[in-house]
Amino acid sequence: MTSRHTLGADVRRSVEELLAPVDDDLAAHYPGDRTDPQPVHTVYVSAADVDEQTPQSWGDEALRIADAASGVLGELADDDVVGIALERLRTNPIEDLRIDLEDGYGWRPDATEDADARRAGETLAAWTRQRPHAPRSAGVRAKGLGAVERSRGLRTLELVLDAAGGIPDGFVFTVPKLRDVRQVDAVNLLCAEFERVHGVPVGSLRYELQIEIPQAILGPDGSATVAEAVHRGAPRLSGLHYGTYDYSAACGIVSAQQSLAHPVADHAKNVMQAAAAQTGVWLSDGSTQVMPTGDDAQVAAALRRHHSLVLRSLERGYYQGWDMHPGHLITRWAAVTGFYRSAMPTAVTRLQSYFERRGGDVVDEPATAMSLALVVGRGLAAGAFTEDEVTAIAPQCTVTRLAQLRATGGALVDE
Protein backbone atom coordinates (compact mmCIF):
# COMPACT_ATOMS: atom_id res chain seq x y z
CA MET A 1 0.00 0.00 0.00
CA THR A 2 1.34 3.42 -0.97
CA SER A 3 1.04 6.13 1.65
CA ARG A 4 -0.73 9.30 0.52
CA HIS A 5 1.81 11.17 2.68
CA THR A 6 4.91 10.03 0.77
CA LEU A 7 7.27 12.92 0.11
CA GLY A 8 7.53 13.91 -3.52
CA ALA A 9 10.79 13.84 -5.42
CA ASP A 10 10.85 17.63 -5.65
CA VAL A 11 10.60 17.95 -1.86
CA ARG A 12 13.34 15.42 -1.29
CA ARG A 13 15.52 17.21 -3.82
CA SER A 14 14.95 20.54 -2.06
CA VAL A 15 15.83 19.01 1.32
CA GLU A 16 19.06 17.65 -0.14
CA GLU A 17 19.91 21.01 -1.68
CA LEU A 18 19.39 22.69 1.68
CA LEU A 19 21.26 20.17 3.81
CA ALA A 20 24.14 18.96 1.62
CA PRO A 21 26.14 22.15 2.32
CA VAL A 22 25.37 21.71 6.02
CA ASP A 23 26.72 18.16 5.89
CA ASP A 24 29.88 19.40 4.20
CA ASP A 25 30.41 22.20 6.74
CA LEU A 26 29.90 19.90 9.73
CA ALA A 27 32.28 17.32 8.29
CA ALA A 28 34.91 20.02 7.74
CA HIS A 29 34.54 21.74 11.10
CA TYR A 30 34.00 18.66 13.27
CA PRO A 31 36.03 15.77 11.84
CA GLY A 32 36.07 13.93 15.18
CA ASP A 33 38.80 12.79 17.54
CA ARG A 34 42.30 12.21 16.27
CA THR A 35 43.58 8.67 16.11
CA ASP A 36 47.11 9.39 17.38
CA PRO A 37 47.45 9.17 21.19
CA GLN A 38 47.30 12.39 23.17
CA PRO A 39 50.22 12.94 25.57
CA VAL A 40 49.27 12.76 29.23
CA HIS A 41 51.33 15.85 29.98
CA THR A 42 53.55 18.61 28.66
CA VAL A 43 56.73 19.31 30.59
CA TYR A 44 58.07 22.86 30.55
CA VAL A 45 61.80 23.51 30.94
CA SER A 46 63.54 26.86 30.55
CA ALA A 47 65.78 27.13 27.49
CA ALA A 48 68.53 28.26 29.86
CA ASP A 49 68.45 24.87 31.63
CA VAL A 50 67.61 22.28 28.99
CA ASP A 51 70.00 19.88 27.29
CA GLU A 52 69.92 16.49 25.56
CA GLN A 53 69.97 14.68 28.91
CA THR A 54 67.02 16.59 30.41
CA PRO A 55 64.39 13.83 29.97
CA GLN A 56 66.56 11.21 31.64
CA SER A 57 67.83 13.56 34.36
CA TRP A 58 64.22 14.47 35.19
CA GLY A 59 63.39 10.78 35.39
CA ASP A 60 66.36 10.12 37.67
CA GLU A 61 65.43 12.99 39.98
CA ALA A 62 61.81 11.84 40.04
CA LEU A 63 62.94 8.36 41.08
CA ARG A 64 65.04 9.83 43.88
CA ILE A 65 62.08 11.83 45.17
CA ALA A 66 59.79 8.81 44.84
CA ASP A 67 62.16 6.64 46.85
CA ALA A 68 62.32 9.21 49.64
CA ALA A 69 58.52 9.60 49.60
CA SER A 70 57.61 5.92 49.19
CA GLY A 71 55.21 6.08 52.12
CA VAL A 72 53.21 8.86 50.50
CA LEU A 73 53.05 6.97 47.20
CA GLY A 74 51.71 3.97 49.08
CA GLU A 75 48.87 6.16 50.36
CA LEU A 76 48.03 7.44 46.88
CA ALA A 77 48.14 4.23 44.84
CA ASP A 78 48.36 0.46 45.11
CA ASP A 79 51.51 -1.54 44.41
CA ASP A 80 50.61 -2.27 40.77
CA VAL A 81 50.04 1.39 39.98
CA VAL A 82 53.21 2.50 41.78
CA GLY A 83 55.23 -0.17 39.97
CA ILE A 84 53.98 0.92 36.56
CA ALA A 85 54.63 4.59 37.36
CA LEU A 86 58.18 3.92 38.58
CA GLU A 87 58.95 1.83 35.49
CA ARG A 88 57.79 4.73 33.33
CA LEU A 89 60.18 7.06 35.17
CA ARG A 90 63.03 4.67 34.40
CA THR A 91 62.33 4.16 30.71
CA ASN A 92 60.48 7.14 29.21
CA PRO A 93 59.46 9.68 31.84
CA ILE A 94 58.42 12.55 29.54
CA GLU A 95 55.96 12.19 26.64
CA ASP A 96 55.82 15.82 25.49
CA LEU A 97 58.19 18.70 26.26
CA ARG A 98 58.34 22.43 25.54
CA ILE A 99 61.59 24.30 25.73
CA ASP A 100 60.45 27.59 27.18
CA LEU A 101 61.67 30.92 25.85
CA GLU A 102 58.71 32.90 27.21
CA ASP A 103 57.60 33.45 30.82
CA GLY A 104 59.69 30.61 32.22
CA TYR A 105 62.74 32.09 30.52
CA GLY A 106 62.17 35.83 30.77
CA TRP A 107 63.80 38.70 28.92
CA ARG A 108 67.52 38.32 28.35
CA PRO A 109 70.02 40.06 26.07
CA ASP A 110 69.37 39.28 22.42
CA ALA A 111 72.71 37.54 22.03
CA THR A 112 71.88 35.25 24.97
CA GLU A 113 68.44 34.33 23.65
CA ASP A 114 69.86 33.81 20.16
CA ALA A 115 72.35 31.29 21.56
CA ASP A 116 69.72 29.53 23.68
CA ALA A 117 67.33 29.35 20.71
CA ARG A 118 69.98 27.70 18.56
CA ARG A 119 70.81 25.25 21.33
CA ALA A 120 67.11 24.48 21.70
CA GLY A 121 66.89 23.59 18.01
CA GLU A 122 69.94 21.31 18.25
CA THR A 123 68.47 19.64 21.32
CA LEU A 124 65.12 19.01 19.62
CA ALA A 125 66.89 17.42 16.66
CA ALA A 126 68.93 15.22 19.01
CA TRP A 127 65.80 13.96 20.76
CA THR A 128 64.34 12.69 17.49
CA ARG A 129 67.34 10.34 17.30
CA GLN A 130 66.95 9.11 20.88
CA ARG A 131 63.37 7.90 20.72
CA PRO A 132 61.69 5.96 22.27
CA HIS A 133 63.78 7.10 25.25
CA ALA A 134 63.05 10.75 24.55
CA PRO A 135 59.79 12.73 24.25
CA ARG A 136 57.74 11.56 21.26
CA SER A 137 56.68 15.17 20.69
CA ALA A 138 58.58 18.29 21.64
CA GLY A 139 58.91 21.93 20.69
CA VAL A 140 59.24 25.43 22.01
CA ARG A 141 57.21 28.22 23.48
CA ALA A 142 58.59 31.46 22.09
CA LYS A 143 57.38 34.92 23.00
CA GLY A 144 53.95 35.81 21.69
CA LEU A 145 52.41 38.02 19.04
CA GLY A 146 51.84 41.18 21.07
CA ALA A 147 53.38 44.39 19.82
CA VAL A 148 56.19 44.42 22.39
CA GLU A 149 57.39 40.84 22.12
CA ARG A 150 56.47 39.90 18.54
CA SER A 151 59.78 40.65 16.86
CA ARG A 152 61.78 38.75 19.46
CA GLY A 153 59.45 35.75 19.32
CA LEU A 154 59.63 35.48 15.53
CA ARG A 155 63.42 35.65 15.52
CA THR A 156 63.57 32.93 18.17
CA LEU A 157 61.35 30.59 16.14
CA GLU A 158 63.51 31.15 13.05
CA LEU A 159 66.68 30.34 14.95
CA VAL A 160 65.21 27.22 16.55
CA LEU A 161 64.14 25.74 13.21
CA ASP A 162 67.36 26.71 11.48
CA ALA A 163 69.45 25.05 14.20
CA ALA A 164 67.23 21.95 14.12
CA GLY A 165 67.88 21.61 10.40
CA GLY A 166 64.23 22.15 9.57
CA ILE A 167 61.06 20.93 11.26
CA PRO A 168 61.85 17.93 13.49
CA ASP A 169 59.47 15.00 13.58
CA GLY A 170 56.92 15.58 16.33
CA PHE A 171 57.67 19.30 16.54
CA VAL A 172 54.98 21.63 17.85
CA PHE A 173 55.24 25.20 19.08
CA THR A 174 53.07 26.98 21.59
CA VAL A 175 51.66 30.45 20.91
CA PRO A 176 51.16 32.22 24.23
CA LYS A 177 48.65 34.87 25.25
CA LEU A 178 46.09 34.63 22.46
CA ARG A 179 43.85 37.71 22.55
CA ASP A 180 42.36 38.06 19.07
CA VAL A 181 41.47 35.55 16.36
CA ARG A 182 43.40 37.57 13.79
CA GLN A 183 46.55 36.43 15.57
CA VAL A 184 45.68 32.90 14.41
CA ASP A 185 45.71 34.10 10.81
CA ALA A 186 49.23 35.43 11.37
CA VAL A 187 50.39 32.12 12.84
CA ASN A 188 49.01 30.24 9.83
CA LEU A 189 50.93 32.60 7.53
CA LEU A 190 54.15 32.01 9.50
CA CYS A 191 53.70 28.24 9.33
CA ALA A 192 53.22 28.32 5.58
CA GLU A 193 56.39 30.37 5.14
CA PHE A 194 58.47 28.16 7.43
CA GLU A 195 57.28 25.12 5.47
CA ARG A 196 58.20 26.77 2.18
CA VAL A 197 61.66 27.76 3.38
CA HIS A 198 62.43 24.33 4.81
CA GLY A 199 60.93 22.44 1.89
CA VAL A 200 58.40 20.33 3.81
CA PRO A 201 54.82 19.50 2.86
CA VAL A 202 52.08 22.02 3.53
CA GLY A 203 50.49 21.35 6.91
CA SER A 204 53.59 19.77 8.46
CA LEU A 205 54.00 22.49 11.08
CA ARG A 206 51.61 22.27 14.02
CA TYR A 207 50.99 24.69 16.87
CA GLU A 208 49.03 25.09 20.09
CA LEU A 209 47.25 28.14 21.43
CA GLN A 210 47.76 29.02 25.06
CA ILE A 211 44.58 30.39 26.62
CA GLU A 212 45.76 32.66 29.40
CA ILE A 213 43.95 35.93 28.73
CA PRO A 214 40.17 36.34 29.31
CA GLN A 215 39.77 37.90 25.84
CA ALA A 216 40.66 34.50 24.40
CA ILE A 217 37.47 33.14 25.96
CA LEU A 218 35.09 36.06 25.53
CA GLY A 219 35.59 38.66 22.80
CA PRO A 220 34.44 42.29 22.72
CA ASP A 221 31.28 41.36 20.80
CA GLY A 222 30.35 38.63 23.28
CA SER A 223 31.46 35.76 21.04
CA ALA A 224 33.69 32.89 22.18
CA THR A 225 37.04 33.90 20.71
CA VAL A 226 38.52 30.44 21.27
CA ALA A 227 35.77 28.76 19.25
CA GLU A 228 36.51 30.87 16.19
CA ALA A 229 40.23 30.41 16.75
CA VAL A 230 39.85 26.62 16.66
CA HIS A 231 38.27 26.72 13.21
CA ARG A 232 40.56 29.41 11.82
CA GLY A 233 43.52 27.36 13.01
CA ALA A 234 42.40 24.07 11.47
CA PRO A 235 44.05 21.85 10.45
CA ARG A 236 47.35 23.15 11.80
CA LEU A 237 46.06 23.85 15.29
CA SER A 238 46.70 20.78 17.44
CA GLY A 239 45.87 21.89 20.98
CA LEU A 240 44.49 24.41 23.46
CA HIS A 241 46.49 24.82 26.66
CA TYR A 242 45.09 26.58 29.71
CA GLY A 243 47.44 29.09 31.37
CA THR A 244 46.55 28.94 35.05
CA TYR A 245 48.22 31.96 36.57
CA ASP A 246 48.10 34.59 33.84
CA TYR A 247 44.39 33.87 33.34
CA SER A 248 43.58 33.98 37.05
CA ALA A 249 45.55 37.18 37.57
CA ALA A 250 43.85 38.84 34.59
CA CYS A 251 40.49 37.98 36.19
CA GLY A 252 41.58 39.69 39.41
CA ILE A 253 42.03 36.54 41.49
CA VAL A 254 44.49 37.10 44.34
CA SER A 255 47.64 35.00 44.21
CA ALA A 256 46.73 32.84 47.20
CA GLN A 257 43.59 31.62 45.40
CA GLN A 258 45.05 31.13 41.93
CA SER A 259 44.70 27.47 40.97
CA LEU A 260 43.62 25.29 38.09
CA ALA A 261 40.75 24.25 40.41
CA HIS A 262 39.40 27.82 40.85
CA PRO A 263 35.92 28.54 39.40
CA VAL A 264 37.32 31.02 36.85
CA ALA A 265 39.62 28.25 35.61
CA ASP A 266 36.74 25.80 35.38
CA HIS A 267 34.70 28.31 33.36
CA ALA A 268 37.52 28.94 30.91
CA LYS A 269 38.23 25.25 30.46
CA ASN A 270 34.54 24.44 30.03
CA VAL A 271 34.40 26.90 27.13
CA MET A 272 37.64 25.51 25.69
CA GLN A 273 36.30 21.98 26.00
CA ALA A 274 33.09 22.82 24.17
CA ALA A 275 34.98 24.73 21.47
CA ALA A 276 37.39 21.85 20.84
CA ALA A 277 34.87 19.01 21.05
CA GLN A 278 34.87 16.75 17.96
CA THR A 279 37.36 18.98 16.15
CA GLY A 280 40.46 16.86 16.74
CA VAL A 281 42.03 19.68 18.79
CA TRP A 282 43.41 18.43 22.10
CA LEU A 283 42.73 20.18 25.39
CA SER A 284 45.35 20.52 28.12
CA ASP A 285 44.89 21.70 31.68
CA GLY A 286 47.46 24.00 33.24
CA SER A 287 50.01 23.65 36.00
CA THR A 288 50.42 24.01 39.73
CA GLN A 289 53.03 26.36 41.14
CA VAL A 290 53.50 24.17 44.24
CA MET A 291 56.71 22.17 43.81
CA PRO A 292 57.64 19.04 45.78
CA THR A 293 60.64 20.64 47.44
CA GLY A 294 61.67 21.48 51.01
CA ASP A 295 61.42 19.18 54.01
CA ASP A 296 59.67 15.81 54.03
CA ALA A 297 56.34 17.29 55.09
CA GLN A 298 56.42 19.91 52.33
CA VAL A 299 57.30 17.32 49.69
CA ALA A 300 54.52 15.01 50.90
CA ALA A 301 51.95 17.81 50.84
CA ALA A 302 52.97 18.87 47.33
CA LEU A 303 52.79 15.30 46.02
CA ARG A 304 49.32 14.80 47.50
CA ARG A 305 48.16 18.12 46.07
CA HIS A 306 49.44 17.41 42.57
CA HIS A 307 48.00 13.89 42.56
CA SER A 308 44.56 15.20 43.50
CA LEU A 309 44.71 17.95 40.87
CA VAL A 310 45.66 15.49 38.13
CA LEU A 311 42.78 13.20 39.12
CA ARG A 312 40.43 16.18 39.17
CA SER A 313 41.43 17.08 35.63
CA LEU A 314 41.02 13.53 34.38
CA GLU A 315 37.57 13.24 35.94
CA ARG A 316 36.55 16.40 34.07
CA GLY A 317 37.81 15.17 30.71
CA TYR A 318 41.10 17.09 30.62
CA TYR A 319 43.48 14.28 29.73
CA GLN A 320 46.65 16.33 29.53
CA GLY A 321 48.27 18.83 31.88
CA TRP A 322 51.49 20.70 32.52
CA ASP A 323 54.34 19.45 34.71
CA MET A 324 56.93 21.91 35.93
CA HIS A 325 59.20 19.83 38.21
CA PRO A 326 60.65 16.30 38.14
CA GLY A 327 58.60 15.47 41.22
CA HIS A 328 55.42 16.15 39.28
CA LEU A 329 56.23 13.20 37.02
CA ILE A 330 55.73 10.81 39.94
CA THR A 331 52.21 11.86 40.73
CA ARG A 332 51.34 12.46 37.07
CA TRP A 333 52.06 8.87 36.13
CA ALA A 334 50.61 7.47 39.37
CA ALA A 335 47.36 9.41 38.92
CA VAL A 336 47.04 8.64 35.20
CA THR A 337 47.80 4.95 35.70
CA GLY A 338 45.43 4.61 38.64
CA PHE A 339 42.64 6.47 36.86
CA TYR A 340 42.68 4.26 33.78
CA ARG A 341 43.28 0.99 35.64
CA SER A 342 40.29 1.64 37.87
CA ALA A 343 38.10 2.55 34.87
CA MET A 344 39.12 -0.35 32.63
CA PRO A 345 37.31 -3.39 34.12
CA THR A 346 33.89 -1.75 34.10
CA ALA A 347 34.44 -0.18 30.68
CA VAL A 348 35.48 -3.41 28.95
CA THR A 349 32.75 -5.45 30.64
CA ARG A 350 30.15 -3.05 29.29
CA LEU A 351 31.81 -3.11 25.87
CA GLN A 352 31.78 -6.91 25.84
CA SER A 353 28.04 -6.84 26.45
CA TYR A 354 27.66 -4.23 23.73
CA PHE A 355 29.62 -6.34 21.24
CA GLU A 356 27.49 -9.36 22.12
CA ARG A 357 24.33 -7.26 21.72
CA ARG A 358 23.03 -8.25 25.09
CA GLY A 359 21.73 -6.15 27.92
CA GLY A 360 23.04 -5.85 31.45
CA ASP A 361 22.82 -3.51 34.36
CA VAL A 362 23.51 -0.67 31.92
CA VAL A 363 22.29 -0.61 28.30
CA ASP A 364 24.73 1.48 26.29
CA GLU A 365 24.09 3.49 23.15
CA PRO A 366 26.65 3.93 20.34
CA ALA A 367 27.92 7.27 21.67
CA THR A 368 28.53 5.76 25.10
CA ALA A 369 30.20 2.71 23.59
CA MET A 370 32.54 4.98 21.66
CA SER A 371 33.33 6.88 24.87
CA LEU A 372 34.11 3.61 26.67
CA ALA A 373 36.39 2.60 23.80
CA LEU A 374 38.19 5.94 24.03
CA VAL A 375 38.84 5.47 27.75
CA VAL A 376 40.31 2.02 27.15
CA GLY A 377 42.36 3.35 24.24
CA ARG A 378 43.77 6.16 26.34
CA GLY A 379 44.69 3.74 29.09
CA LEU A 380 46.48 1.45 26.66
CA ALA A 381 48.37 4.38 25.14
CA ALA A 382 49.43 5.57 28.60
CA GLY A 383 50.70 2.11 29.52
CA ALA A 384 48.26 1.78 32.41
CA PHE A 385 47.45 -1.78 31.34
CA THR A 386 48.10 -4.17 28.46
CA GLU A 387 45.86 -5.60 25.77
CA ASP A 388 46.23 -9.01 27.44
CA GLU A 389 44.81 -7.59 30.67
CA VAL A 390 41.87 -6.20 28.71
CA THR A 391 41.06 -9.35 26.78
CA ALA A 392 41.38 -11.49 29.91
CA ILE A 393 38.24 -9.69 31.11
CA ALA A 394 36.56 -9.05 27.77
CA PRO A 395 37.82 -11.27 24.93
CA GLN A 396 36.19 -9.19 22.17
CA CYS A 397 37.84 -5.96 23.31
CA THR A 398 40.92 -6.27 21.14
CA VAL A 399 42.84 -3.21 20.01
CA THR A 400 41.57 -3.77 16.48
CA ARG A 401 37.93 -4.03 17.57
CA LEU A 402 38.19 -0.94 19.79
CA ALA A 403 39.72 1.07 16.95
CA GLN A 404 36.92 -0.06 14.65
CA LEU A 405 34.32 1.03 17.19
CA ARG A 406 35.90 4.47 17.48
CA ALA A 407 36.05 4.79 13.70
CA THR A 408 32.33 4.07 13.33
CA GLY A 409 31.25 6.43 16.08
CA GLY A 410 30.19 3.52 18.26
CA ALA A 411 28.17 1.68 15.61
CA LEU A 412 28.63 -2.08 15.54
CA VAL A 413 30.07 -3.70 12.43
CA ASP A 414 29.81 -7.47 12.12
CA GLU A 415 33.14 -9.21 11.67
Side-chain angles (χ1 to χ4, degrees):
M1 180 182 295
T2 303
S3 170
R4 69 182 64 183
H5 301 296
T6 299
L7 294 174
D10 56 336
V11 174
R12 291 179 180 275
R13 186 166 50 252
S14 296
V15 169
E16 285 300 317
E17 289 174 355
L18 286 169
L19 295 185
V22 175
D23 295 339
D24 293 341
D25 287 345
L26 290 172
H29 293 310
Y30 302 100
D33 293 318
R34 288 156 60 181
T35 57
D36 50 326
Q38 181 176 3
V40 304
H41 65 171
T42 299
V43 164
Y44 269 77
V45 183
S46 170
D49 303 323
V50 76
D51 58 34
E52 290 183 29
Q53 286 71 48
T54 292
Q56 189 55 56
S57 63
W58 271 53
D60 293 342
E61 176 64 8
L63 286 167
R64 185 195 66 77
I65 296 170
D67 183 61
S70 58
V72 178
L73 286 183
E75 296 172 15
L76 298 175
D78 64 30
D79 290 345
D80 288 341
V81 168
V82 172
I84 292 170
L86 293 180
E87 182 61 20
R88 187 69 188 228
L89 298 179
R90 296 185 190 100
T91 58
N92 191 10
I94 298 175
E95 278 201 308
D96 184 45
L97 191 150
R98 294 295 167 275
I99 300 174
D100 194 12
L101 290 124
E102 203 235 358
D103 282 353
Y105 177 81
W107 284 92
R108 305 182 186 223
D110 281 341
T112 301
E113 182 161 342
D114 286 353
D116 285 338
R118 292 189 183 96
R119 188 161 53 86
E122 293 166 357
T123 300
L124 291 167
W127 285 340
T128 66
R129 299 187 292 270
Q130 295 173 7
R131 293 173 182 146
H133 302 294
R136 61 182 171 86
S137 56
V140 297
R141 178 175 69 169
K143 293 175 176 63
L145 298 174
V148 173
E149 68 271 25
R150 182 162 61 237
S151 178
R152 178 63 261 185
L154 295 180
R155 176 171 174 77
T156 293
L157 271 177
E158 287 183 289
L159 292 172
V160 167
L161 294 176
D162 285 345
I167 300 172
D169 181 50
F171 178 82
V172 60
F173 68 98
T174 305
V175 180
K177 298 179 175 58
L178 174 74
R179 297 188 71 182
D180 190 292
V181 293
R182 289 170 291 184
Q183 292 173 322
V184 176
D185 298 336
V187 179
N188 290 336
L189 176 63
L190 291 170
C191 287
E193 182 61 12
F194 282 134
E195 289 165 350
R196 185 191 67 79
V197 168
H198 292 286
V200 298
V202 174
S204 299
L205 192 52
R206 308 296 293 272
Y207 64 89
E208 305 153 339
L209 295 174
Q210 192 172 350
I211 308 303
E212 51 185 332
I213 304 290
Q215 291 84 23
I217 295 295
L218 190 65
D221 60 354
S223 64
T225 307
V226 67
E228 186 175 352
V230 164
H231 297 288
R232 286 206 192 192
R236 296 182 185 278
L237 178 63
S238 63
L240 301 175
H241 286 223
Y242 178 66
T244 307
Y245 300 100
D246 284 57
Y247 192 94
S248 298
C251 287
I253 308 303
V254 299
S255 59
Q257 302 302 319
Q258 292 174 4
S259 164
L260 56 82
H262 192 281
V264 302
D266 284 338
H267 171 260
K269 289 179 288 189
N270 287 342
V271 176
M272 292 164 62
Q273 191 172 45
Q278 299 178 343
T279 65
V281 173
W282 288 333
L283 179 63
S284 175
D285 210 337
S287 63
T288 175
Q289 85 278 41
V290 180
M291 306 297 165
T293 58
D295 60 31
D296 290 348
Q298 290 172 310
V299 170
L303 291 174
R304 292 188 185 100
R305 174 186 173 85
H306 187 248
H307 186 270
S308 68
L309 287 171
V310 174
L311 282 180
R312 184 184 190 276
S313 296
L314 290 167
E315 290 165 357
R316 285 157 176 77
Y318 313 137
Y319 299 111
Q320 183 177 352
W322 288 9
D323 290 329
M324 311 292 286
H325 186 276
H328 288 158
L329 301 182
I330 306 164
T331 36
R332 173 69 60 184
W333 286 112
V336 166
T337 301
F339 176 80
Y340 288 120
R341 283 187 72 84
S342 65
M344 185 269 284
T346 299
V348 298
T349 299
R350 288 169 62 178
L351 283 169
Q352 181 76 17
S353 296
Y354 186 74
F355 286 138
E356 294 174 352
R357 293 177 171 84
R358 59 181 170 84
D361 295 335
V362 179
V363 179
D364 290 312
E365 296 181 348
T368 304
M370 184 177 67
S371 178
L372 293 169
L374 286 170
V375 168
V376 178
R378 287 182 184 278
L380 286 166
F385 44 77
T386 65
E387 183 178 6
D388 287 344
E389 288 179 286
V390 170
T391 55
I393 300 171
Q396 292 196 39
C397 290
T398 63
V399 168
T400 300
R401 196 79 189 274
L402 293 172
Q404 182 186 68
L405 193 66
R406 294 194 298 270
T408 61
L412 287 172
V413 178
D414 291 328
E415 293 185 322

